[in-house]
Amino acid sequence: MFETHQSVHPVSVIMYKHDLVYLTEDASHDAAIEHINEEAFGPGRFTRAAARIREQGPHDLSLSFICADDGETIASVRMTPVMAGTVKGHLLGPLAVRPSHKNIGIGRELVRIAVEAARRKGSEAVILVGDPPYYGPLGFEKVAYNALTFPGPVDPGRVLVVPIAENVHERLKGTIAWRA
């Protein structure tokens, strides 16, 4: 009787385990968030109309979140309280994820967490300037063309909202600015 022995070669498999944790932002995250935003948006981020609003006052730490992977902050989203026409809402952004962690759902999860937190806190709407194909599936709708006046140029087709309260679209007319 003949036996055939096949040599078995172990196959090297690289597996990436992500130990992702979503946390409310605190001051200890500031340096990492600044680095992530610089990496994602570059120096031009300060010239954007949404940045002009964020300069008017602080963001709401209780509605701003980070994602950490094995203790390293790798993504963040901030929420700034705004008055948009007669709507007491929040401006979402910046939202940024490190390139090493893109396209695995971290940004979408941060948006979901932030919008739900704003809803629980009584916000009437979450507003942002962003890409409709990305944010549309997350519940964002286009704001009426040129309904809101920003402190700088904005593509009106990129102004989006998650309406939380009644008649939000009708009341989103006028200036958008930071509110206390």
Side-chain angles (χ1 to χ4, degrees), residues 8-99:
V8 178
H9 298 289
V11 176
S12 295
V13 177
I14 298 174
M15 293 183 63
Y16 295 99
K17 180 183 181 298
H18 293 288
D19 189 13
L20 301 177
V21 179
Y22 295 86
L23 303 168
T24 305
E25 179 189 330
D26 66 40
S28 72
H29 302 118
D30 284 348
I33 291 169
E34 181 58 31
H35 176 72
I36 292 165
N37 288 329
E38 180 180 9
E39 192 174 51
F41 303 112
R45 69 191 181 279
F46 298 115
T47 64
R48 297 178 178 194
R52 301 275 78 85
I53 294 169
R54 292 183 199 111
E55 290 173 348
Q56 296 170 7
H59 61 283
D60 186 336
L61 280 174
S62 72
L63 299 181
S64 300
F65 300 90
I66 63 102
C67 178
D69 184 1
D70 197 26
E72 178 192 359
T73 301
I74 51 90
S76 78
V77 65
R78 286 182 166 167
M79 297 276 270
T80 302
V82 293
M83 187 59 104
T86 62
V87 175
K88 290 174 88 174
H90 287 85
L91 181 68
L92 186 143
L95 167 68
V97 179
R98 300 280 323 265

Coordinates of all heavy atoms in Angstrom, one line a residue, residues 8-99:
V8 N 1.9 20.4 3.6 CA 1.0 21.5 3.8 C 1.8 22.8 4.2 O 2.6 22.7 5.1 CB 0.1 21.2 5.0 CG1 -0.9 22.3 5.3 CG2 -0.7 19.9 4.6
H9 N 1.6 23.8 3.4 CA 2.3 25.1 3.7 C 1.4 26.0 4.4 O 0.3 26.3 3.8 CB 2.9 25.7 2.4 CG 3.9 24.8 1.7 ND1 5.1 24.6 2.2 CD2 3.8 24.1 0.6 CE1 5.8 23.8 1.4 NE2 5.0 23.4 0.4
P10 N 1.7 26.5 5.5 CA 0.8 27.5 6.1 C 0.7 28.7 5.3 O 1.7 29.2 4.7 CB 1.5 27.8 7.5 CG 2.9 27.4 7.3 CD 3.0 26.3 6.3
V11 N -0.5 29.2 5.2 CA -0.7 30.4 4.4 C -0.7 31.6 5.4 O -1.3 31.6 6.4 CB -2.1 30.3 3.7 CG1 -2.4 31.6 3.0 CG2 -2.1 29.1 2.8
S12 N 0.0 32.6 5.0 CA 0.1 33.8 5.8 C -1.1 34.7 5.5 O -1.4 35.0 4.4 CB 1.3 34.6 5.5 OG 2.5 33.9 5.9
V13 N -1.9 35.0 6.5 CA -3.1 35.8 6.4 C -2.9 37.0 7.3 O -2.6 36.9 8.5 CB -4.3 35.0 6.8 CG1 -5.5 36.0 6.7 CG2 -4.5 33.8 5.9
I14 N -3.0 38.1 6.7 CA -2.9 39.4 7.5 C -4.3 39.8 7.8 O -5.2 40.0 7.0 CB -2.2 40.5 6.7 CG1 -0.8 40.1 6.4 CG2 -2.2 41.8 7.5 CD1 0.0 41.0 5.5
M15 N -4.6 39.9 9.1 CA -5.9 40.3 9.6 C -5.7 41.6 10.3 O -4.8 41.7 11.1 CB -6.5 39.2 10.4 CG -6.8 37.9 9.7 SD -7.7 36.7 10.7 CE -9.2 37.6 11.2
Y16 N -6.6 42.5 10.1 CA -6.6 43.7 10.8 C -7.8 43.7 11.8 O -8.9 43.7 11.4 CB -6.8 44.9 9.8 CG -5.6 45.0 8.9 CD1 -5.6 44.5 7.6 CD2 -4.4 45.6 9.3 CE1 -4.6 44.6 6.7 CE2 -3.3 45.7 8.4 CZ -3.4 45.2 7.2 OH -2.3 45.3 6.3
K17 N -7.4 43.8 13.0 CA -8.5 43.9 14.0 C -8.5 45.3 14.5 O -7.6 45.9 14.9 CB -8.1 43.0 15.2 CG -9.1 43.0 16.3 CD -8.7 42.1 17.5 CE -9.8 42.1 18.5 NZ -10.0 43.4 19.1
H18 N -9.7 45.8 14.4 CA -9.9 47.2 14.8 C -10.7 47.2 16.1 O -11.8 46.6 16.1 CB -10.7 48.0 13.8 CG -9.8 48.3 12.5 ND1 -8.8 49.1 12.5 CD2 -9.9 47.7 11.3 CE1 -8.2 49.1 11.3 NE2 -8.9 48.3 10.5
D19 N -10.1 47.7 17.2 CA -10.8 47.8 18.4 C -11.4 49.2 18.5 O -10.8 50.1 19.2 CB -9.9 47.5 19.6 CG -10.5 47.4 20.9 OD1 -11.8 47.3 20.9 OD2 -9.8 47.4 21.9
L20 N -12.5 49.5 17.8 CA -13.0 50.8 17.7 C -13.9 51.2 18.9 O -14.7 50.4 19.3 CB -13.8 51.0 16.4 CG -13.0 50.7 15.1 CD1 -14.0 50.8 13.9 CD2 -11.8 51.6 15.0
V21 N -13.7 52.4 19.4 CA -14.5 52.9 20.5 C -14.9 54.3 20.1 O -14.1 55.1 19.7 CB -13.7 52.9 21.8 CG1 -14.5 53.5 23.0 CG2 -13.1 51.5 22.2
Y22 N -16.2 54.6 20.4 CA -16.7 55.9 20.1 C -16.9 56.6 21.4 O -17.6 56.1 22.3 CB -18.0 55.8 19.3 CG -17.8 55.3 17.9 CD1 -17.8 53.9 17.7 CD2 -17.6 56.1 16.9 CE1 -17.6 53.4 16.4 CE2 -17.3 55.6 15.6 CZ -17.3 54.2 15.4 OH -17.1 53.7 14.1
L23 N -16.3 57.8 21.6 CA -16.4 58.5 22.8 C -16.8 60.0 22.6 O -16.5 60.6 21.6 CB -15.0 58.5 23.5 CG -14.3 57.2 23.7 CD1 -12.9 57.4 24.1 CD2 -15.1 56.5 24.9
T24 N -17.4 60.6 23.7 CA -17.6 62.0 23.7 C -16.3 62.7 23.7 O -15.4 62.4 24.5 CB -18.5 62.4 24.9 OG1 -19.7 61.6 24.8 CG2 -18.9 63.9 24.8
E25 N -16.1 63.7 22.9 CA -14.9 64.5 22.8 C -14.6 65.2 24.1 O -15.6 65.7 24.8 CB -15.0 65.5 21.7 CG -13.7 66.4 21.6 CD -13.9 67.5 20.6 OE1 -14.7 67.4 19.6 OE2 -13.3 68.6 20.8
D26 N -13.4 65.3 24.5 CA -13.0 66.1 25.6 C -11.6 66.8 25.2 O -11.1 66.6 24.2 CB -12.9 65.4 27.0 CG -11.8 64.3 27.0 OD1 -10.7 64.6 26.5 OD2 -12.0 63.2 27.6
A27 N -11.2 67.7 26.1 CA -10.0 68.5 25.8 C -8.8 67.7 25.5 O -7.9 68.2 24.7 CB -9.7 69.5 26.9
S28 N -8.7 66.5 26.0 CA -7.5 65.7 25.7 C -7.4 65.2 24.3 O -6.3 64.8 23.8 CB -7.5 64.4 26.7 OG -8.5 63.5 26.3
H29 N -8.5 65.4 23.5 CA -8.5 65.0 22.1 C -8.1 66.1 21.2 O -7.9 65.9 20.0 CB -9.9 64.5 21.7 CG -10.4 63.3 22.5 ND1 -11.5 63.4 23.3 CD2 -9.9 62.1 22.7 CE1 -11.7 62.2 23.9 NE2 -10.7 61.4 23.6
D30 N -7.9 67.3 21.7 CA -7.7 68.5 20.8 C -6.6 68.4 19.8 O -6.8 68.6 18.6 CB -7.6 69.8 21.6 CG -8.9 70.3 22.2 OD1 -9.9 69.8 21.8 OD2 -8.8 71.2 23.1
A31 N -5.4 68.0 20.3 CA -4.3 67.9 19.4 C -4.5 66.8 18.3 O -4.2 67.1 17.1 CB -3.0 67.6 20.2
A32 N -5.0 65.7 18.6 CA -5.2 64.6 17.6 C -6.3 65.1 16.6 O -6.1 64.8 15.4 CB -5.7 63.3 18.3
I33 N -7.3 65.8 17.1 CA -8.4 66.2 16.2 C -7.8 67.3 15.2 O -8.1 67.3 14.0 CB -9.6 66.8 17.0 CG1 -10.3 65.6 17.7 CG2 -10.6 67.6 16.1 CD1 -11.4 66.1 18.7
E34 N -7.0 68.2 15.7 CA -6.4 69.2 14.9 C -5.6 68.5 13.8 O -5.6 68.9 12.6 CB -5.5 70.1 15.7 CG -4.9 71.2 14.9 CD -5.9 72.1 14.1 OE1 -7.0 72.3 14.6 OE2 -5.5 72.6 13.0
H35 N -4.8 67.5 14.2 CA -4.0 66.8 13.2 C -4.8 66.0 12.1 O -4.5 66.1 10.9 CB -3.1 65.7 13.9 CG -2.3 64.9 13.0 ND1 -1.2 65.4 12.3 CD2 -2.4 63.6 12.6 CE1 -0.7 64.4 11.5 NE2 -1.4 63.3 11.7
I36 N -5.9 65.4 12.6 CA -6.8 64.7 11.7 C -7.4 65.7 10.7 O -7.5 65.4 9.5 CB -7.9 63.9 12.5 CG1 -7.3 62.8 13.2 CG2 -9.0 63.4 11.5 CD1 -8.2 62.2 14.3
N37 N -7.9 66.8 11.2 CA -8.5 67.8 10.3 C -7.5 68.4 9.3 O -7.8 68.7 8.2 CB -9.2 68.9 11.1 CG -10.5 68.4 11.8 OD1 -11.1 67.5 11.2 ND2 -10.8 68.9 12.9
E38 N -6.3 68.7 9.8 CA -5.2 69.2 8.9 C -4.9 68.2 7.8 O -4.8 68.5 6.6 CB -4.0 69.5 9.7 CG -2.8 70.0 8.9 CD -1.6 70.3 9.7 OE1 -1.5 69.9 10.9 OE2 -0.6 70.9 9.2
E39 N -4.8 66.9 8.2 CA -4.6 65.8 7.2 C -5.7 65.7 6.2 O -5.4 65.5 5.0 CB -4.4 64.5 8.0 CG -3.9 63.3 7.3 CD -3.7 62.2 8.3 OE1 -4.6 61.8 9.0 OE2 -2.6 61.6 8.3
A40 N -6.9 65.9 6.7 CA -8.1 65.7 5.8 C -8.3 66.9 4.9 O -8.7 66.8 3.7 CB -9.3 65.4 6.6
F41 N -8.2 68.1 5.4 CA -8.7 69.3 4.7 C -7.6 70.3 4.4 O -7.8 71.2 3.6 CB -9.7 70.0 5.5 CG -10.9 69.1 5.9 CD1 -11.1 68.7 7.2 CD2 -11.8 68.7 4.9 CE1 -12.2 67.9 7.5 CE2 -12.8 67.9 5.2 CZ -13.1 67.5 6.5
G42 N -6.4 70.2 4.9 CA -5.3 71.1 4.6 C -5.5 72.5 5.2 O -6.5 72.7 5.9
P43 N -4.6 73.4 4.8 CA -4.7 74.8 5.4 C -5.9 75.5 4.9 O -6.4 76.5 5.5 CB -3.4 75.4 4.9 CG -3.0 74.6 3.7 CD -3.5 73.2 3.9
G44 N -6.5 75.1 3.8 CA -7.7 75.8 3.2 C -8.9 75.7 4.1 O -9.9 76.4 3.9
R45 N -8.9 74.8 5.1 CA -10.1 74.5 5.9 C -10.5 75.8 6.7 O -11.7 75.9 7.0 CB -9.8 73.4 6.9 CG -8.8 73.6 7.9 CD -8.4 72.3 8.7 NE -7.5 72.5 9.7 CZ -6.2 72.6 9.6 NH1 -5.7 72.6 8.4 NH2 -5.4 72.8 10.6
F46 N -9.6 76.7 7.0 CA -9.9 77.9 7.7 C -10.7 78.9 6.9 O -11.2 79.9 7.5 CB -8.7 78.5 8.4 CG -8.0 77.5 9.3 CD1 -6.7 77.0 9.0 CD2 -8.6 77.1 10.5 CE1 -6.1 76.2 9.9 CE2 -8.0 76.2 11.3 CZ -6.7 75.8 11.1
T47 N -10.6 78.8 5.6 CA -11.3 79.8 4.8 C -12.7 79.5 4.4 O -13.4 80.3 3.8 CB -10.5 80.0 3.5 OG1 -10.5 78.8 2.7 CG2 -9.0 80.4 3.7
R48 N -13.1 78.3 4.7 CA -14.5 77.9 4.4 C -15.5 78.6 5.2 O -15.3 79.0 6.4 CB -14.7 76.4 4.6 CG -13.7 75.6 3.7 CD -13.9 74.1 4.0 NE -13.0 73.4 3.1 CZ -13.1 72.1 2.9 NH1 -14.0 71.4 3.5 NH2 -12.3 71.5 2.0
A49 N -16.7 78.8 4.6 CA -17.8 79.5 5.3 C -18.2 78.9 6.6 O -18.5 79.6 7.6 CB -19.0 79.7 4.4
A50 N -18.2 77.5 6.6 CA -18.6 76.8 7.9 C -17.6 77.1 9.0 O -17.9 77.2 10.1 CB -18.7 75.3 7.6
A51 N -16.3 77.3 8.6 CA -15.2 77.6 9.6 C -15.5 79.0 10.1 O -15.2 79.2 11.3 CB -13.9 77.5 8.9
R52 N -16.0 79.9 9.3 CA -16.3 81.3 9.8 C -17.4 81.2 10.9 O -17.3 81.9 11.9 CB -16.9 82.1 8.7 CG -16.0 82.3 7.5 CD -14.9 83.5 7.7 NE -13.8 83.1 8.5 CZ -12.7 82.5 8.1 NH1 -12.6 82.2 6.9 NH2 -11.7 82.3 8.9
I53 N -18.3 80.3 10.8 CA -19.3 80.1 11.8 C -18.7 79.5 13.1 O -18.9 80.0 14.2 CB -20.5 79.2 11.4 CG1 -21.3 79.9 10.2 CG2 -21.4 78.9 12.5 CD1 -22.2 79.0 9.5
R54 N -17.8 78.5 12.9 CA -17.2 77.9 14.1 C -16.3 78.8 14.8 O -16.1 78.7 16.0 CB -16.4 76.6 13.6 CG -17.3 75.6 13.1 CD -16.5 74.3 12.7 NE -17.3 73.5 11.8 CZ -17.1 73.3 10.5 NH1 -16.1 73.9 9.9 NH2 -17.9 72.6 9.8
E55 N -15.7 79.8 14.1 CA -14.9 80.8 14.8 C -15.7 81.7 15.7 O -15.1 82.4 16.6 CB -14.2 81.7 13.8 CG -13.1 81.0 13.0 CD -12.6 81.8 11.8 OE1 -13.2 82.9 11.5 OE2 -11.5 81.4 11.3
Q56 N -17.0 81.8 15.5 CA -17.8 82.7 16.3 C -18.0 82.3 17.8 O -18.4 83.1 18.6 CB -19.2 82.9 15.6 CG -19.1 83.5 14.3 CD -20.4 83.5 13.5 OE1 -21.5 83.1 14.0 NE2 -20.4 83.9 12.2
G57 N -17.8 81.0 18.0 CA -18.0 80.5 19.4 C -17.6 79.0 19.4 O -17.4 78.4 18.4
P58 N -17.6 78.5 20.6 CA -17.1 77.1 20.8 C -18.2 76.0 20.3 O -19.4 76.3 20.2 CB -16.9 76.9 22.3 CG -17.9 77.9 22.9 CD -17.9 79.1 21.9
H59 N -17.6 74.9 19.9 CA -18.5 73.8 19.6 C -19.1 73.2 20.8 O -18.6 73.4 21.9 CB -17.8 72.7 18.7 CG -16.6 72.1 19.3 ND1 -15.4 72.7 19.4 CD2 -16.5 70.9 19.9 CE1 -14.5 71.9 20.0 NE2 -15.2 70.8 20.3
D60 N -20.1 72.4 20.7 CA -20.7 71.7 21.9 C -20.0 70.4 22.1 O -20.2 69.4 21.4 CB -22.2 71.5 21.5 CG -23.0 71.0 22.7 OD1 -22.4 70.4 23.6 OD2 -24.3 71.2 22.7
L61 N -19.2 70.3 23.2 CA -18.5 69.1 23.5 C -19.4 67.9 23.8 O -19.1 66.8 23.4 CB -17.6 69.3 24.7 CG -16.3 70.0 24.5 CD1 -15.6 70.3 25.8 CD2 -15.4 69.2 23.6
S62 N -20.6 68.2 24.3 CA -21.5 67.1 24.6 C -22.1 66.4 23.4 O -22.6 65.3 23.5 CB -22.6 67.6 25.6 OG -23.6 68.4 24.9
L63 N -22.0 67.1 22.2 CA -22.5 66.6 21.0 C -21.4 66.3 20.0 O -21.6 66.0 18.8 CB -23.5 67.5 20.3 CG -24.7 67.8 21.1 CD1 -25.6 68.8 20.4 CD2 -25.5 66.6 21.5
S64 N -20.1 66.3 20.4 CA -19.0 66.1 19.5 C -18.3 64.8 20.0 O -18.1 64.6 21.2 CB -18.0 67.3 19.6 OG -18.7 68.5 19.2
F65 N -17.9 64.0 19.0 CA -17.4 62.7 19.3 C -16.1 62.3 18.5 O -15.8 62.9 17.5 CB -18.5 61.7 18.9 CG -19.8 61.9 19.6 CD1 -20.8 62.7 19.1 CD2 -20.0 61.3 20.9 CE1 -21.9 63.0 19.8 CE2 -21.2 61.5 21.6 CZ -22.1 62.4 21.1
I66 N -15.4 61.4 19.1 CA -14.2 60.8 18.4 C -14.4 59.3 18.3 O -15.2 58.7 19.0 CB -12.9 61.2 19.2 CG1 -12.9 60.6 20.6 CG2 -12.8 62.7 19.3 CD1 -12.0 59.4 20.7
C67 N -13.6 58.8 17.4 CA -13.4 57.3 17.3 C -12.0 57.0 17.6 O -11.1 57.7 17.0 CB -13.8 56.8 16.0 SG -13.6 55.0 15.8
A68 N -11.7 56.1 18.5 CA -10.4 55.6 18.8 C -10.2 54.2 18.4 O -11.1 53.4 18.5 CB -10.1 55.8 20.3
D69 N -9.1 53.9 17.9 CA -8.7 52.5 17.5 C -7.5 52.1 18.4 O -6.4 52.7 18.2 CB -8.3 52.4 16.0 CG -8.1 51.0 15.6 OD1 -8.2 50.0 16.4 OD2 -7.7 50.8 14.4
D70 N -7.7 51.2 19.3 CA -6.7 50.7 20.2 C -6.0 51.9 20.9 O -4.8 52.0 21.0 CB -5.6 49.9 19.4 CG -4.8 49.1 20.3 OD1 -5.2 48.7 21.5 OD2 -3.6 48.8 20.0
G71 N -6.9 52.9 21.3 CA -6.4 54.0 22.1 C -6.0 55.2 21.3 O -5.8 56.3 21.9
E72 N -5.8 55.1 20.0 CA -5.4 56.2 19.1 C -6.7 56.9 18.5 O -7.5 56.2 17.9 CB -4.5 55.8 18.0 CG -4.1 56.9 17.1 CD -3.4 56.3 15.8 OE1 -3.3 55.1 15.6 OE2 -3.1 57.2 15.0
T73 N -6.8 58.2 18.7 CA -7.9 59.0 18.1 C -7.7 59.0 16.6 O -6.6 59.5 16.1 CB -7.9 60.4 18.6 OG1 -8.1 60.3 20.0 CG2 -9.1 61.2 18.0
I74 N -8.6 58.4 15.8 CA -8.5 58.3 14.4 C -9.6 59.0 13.6 O -9.6 59.0 12.4 CB -8.3 56.8 14.0 CG1 -9.5 55.9 14.6 CG2 -7.0 56.2 14.4 CD1 -10.6 55.8 13.7
A75 N -10.6 59.5 14.3 CA -11.7 60.2 13.6 C -12.4 61.1 14.6 O -12.4 60.9 15.8 CB -12.6 59.2 13.0
S76 N -13.1 62.2 14.0 CA -13.8 63.0 14.9 C -14.9 63.7 14.1 O -14.9 63.9 12.9 CB -13.0 64.1 15.6 OG -12.7 65.1 14.7
V77 N -16.0 64.1 14.9 CA -17.0 65.0 14.3 C -17.3 66.0 15.4 O -17.4 65.6 16.6 CB -18.3 64.2 13.9 CG1 -19.0 63.5 15.1 CG2 -19.2 65.1 13.2
R78 N -17.5 67.2 15.0 CA -17.9 68.3 16.0 C -19.3 68.8 15.6 O -19.6 68.8 14.4 CB -16.8 69.4 16.0 CG -15.6 68.9 16.7 CD -14.5 70.0 16.8 NE -13.5 69.6 17.8 CZ -12.4 70.2 17.9 NH1 -12.1 71.2 17.2 NH2 -11.5 69.8 18.9
M79 N -19.9 69.4 16.6 CA -21.3 70.0 16.4 C -21.2 71.4 17.1 O -20.8 71.5 18.2 CB -22.3 69.1 17.1 CG -22.5 67.8 16.5 SD -23.5 67.8 15.0 CE -25.1 67.5 15.8
T80 N -21.6 72.4 16.3 CA -21.6 73.8 16.8 C -23.0 74.3 16.8 O -23.8 74.1 15.9 CB -20.8 74.6 15.8 OG1 -19.4 74.1 15.7 CG2 -20.7 76.1 16.2
P81 N -23.4 74.8 18.0 CA -24.8 75.4 18.1 C -25.0 76.6 17.1 O -24.1 77.5 17.1 CB -24.9 75.8 19.5 CG -23.5 75.9 20.0 CD -22.6 75.1 19.2
V82 N -26.0 76.5 16.4 CA -26.3 77.6 15.4 C -27.8 78.0 15.5 O -28.6 77.3 15.9 CB -25.9 77.3 14.0 CG1 -24.4 77.1 13.8 CG2 -26.7 76.1 13.5
M83 N -28.0 79.3 15.0 CA -29.4 79.7 14.7 C -29.4 79.9 13.2 O -28.5 80.6 12.6 CB -29.6 81.1 15.4 CG -31.1 81.5 15.2 SD -32.2 80.3 15.9 CE -32.7 81.1 17.4
A84 N -30.3 79.1 12.5 CA -30.3 79.1 11.1 C -31.7 79.6 10.7 O -32.7 78.8 10.8 CB -30.1 77.8 10.5
G85 N -31.9 80.9 10.3 CA -33.2 81.5 10.2 C -33.8 81.5 11.6 O -33.2 82.1 12.5
T86 N -34.9 80.8 11.8 CA -35.5 80.7 13.1 C -35.4 79.3 13.8 O -36.0 79.0 14.7 CB -37.0 81.1 13.1 OG1 -37.7 80.1 12.2 CG2 -37.2 82.5 12.6
V87 N -34.5 78.5 13.2 CA -34.2 77.2 13.7 C -33.0 77.1 14.6 O -31.9 77.5 14.2 CB -34.0 76.2 12.5 CG1 -33.6 74.8 13.0 CG2 -35.2 76.1 11.6
K88 N -33.3 76.6 15.8 CA -32.2 76.4 16.8 C -31.6 75.0 16.5 O -32.2 74.0 16.9 CB -32.7 76.5 18.2 CG -33.1 77.9 18.6 CD -33.7 78.0 20.0 CE -32.6 78.1 21.0 NZ -33.2 78.4 22.4
G89 N -30.5 75.0 15.8 CA -29.9 73.7 15.4 C -28.5 73.6 15.7 O -27.9 74.4 16.5
H90 N -27.8 72.7 15.0 CA -26.4 72.4 15.2 C -25.8 72.3 13.8 O -26.4 71.6 12.9 CB -26.1 71.2 16.0 CG -26.4 71.4 17.5 ND1 -27.6 71.3 18.0 CD2 -25.6 71.9 18.5 CE1 -27.6 71.6 19.3 NE2 -26.3 72.0 19.6
L91 N -24.6 72.8 13.6 CA -23.8 72.7 12.4 C -22.9 71.5 12.6 O -22.1 71.5 13.5 CB -23.0 74.0 12.1 CG -22.2 74.0 10.9 CD1 -23.1 73.9 9.6 CD2 -21.3 75.2 10.9
L92 N -23.0 70.5 11.8 CA -22.2 69.3 11.9 C -20.9 69.5 11.1 O -20.9 70.0 9.9 CB -22.9 68.1 11.3 CG -22.2 66.7 11.5 CD1 -23.2 65.7 11.8 CD2 -21.3 66.4 10.3
G93 N -19.8 69.3 11.7 CA -18.5 69.4 11.0 C -17.5 70.1 11.8 O -17.8 70.9 12.8
P94 N -16.2 69.9 11.5 CA -15.8 69.0 10.5 C -15.9 67.6 10.9 O -15.8 67.2 12.1 CB -14.3 69.4 10.3 CG -13.9 70.1 11.6 CD -15.1 70.7 12.1
L95 N -16.1 66.7 9.9 CA -16.1 65.3 10.1 C -14.9 64.8 9.3 O -14.7 65.1 8.1 CB -17.3 64.7 9.4 CG -17.3 63.1 9.2 CD1 -17.4 62.4 10.6 CD2 -18.5 62.7 8.4
A96 N -14.0 64.1 10.0 CA -12.7 63.7 9.4 C -12.3 62.3 10.0 O -12.4 62.1 11.2 CB -11.6 64.7 9.6
V97 N -11.8 61.5 9.1 CA -11.3 60.2 9.4 C -9.8 60.0 8.9 O -9.6 60.4 7.7 CB -12.2 59.0 8.9 CG1 -11.6 57.7 9.2 CG2 -13.6 59.2 9.3
R98 N -8.9 59.5 9.7 CA -7.6 59.2 9.2 C -7.6 58.4 7.9 O -8.4 57.5 7.8 CB -6.7 58.5 10.2 CG -6.5 59.2 11.6 CD -5.5 60.3 11.6 NE -4.3 60.1 10.8 CZ -3.1 59.6 11.3 NH1 -3.0 59.2 12.5 NH2 -2.1 59.5 10.5
P99 N -6.7 58.6 7.0 CA -6.7 57.8 5.7 C -6.6 56.3 6.0 O -7.2 55.5 5.3 CB -5.5 58.4 5.0 CG -5.3 59.8 5.5 CD -5.8 59.7 6.9

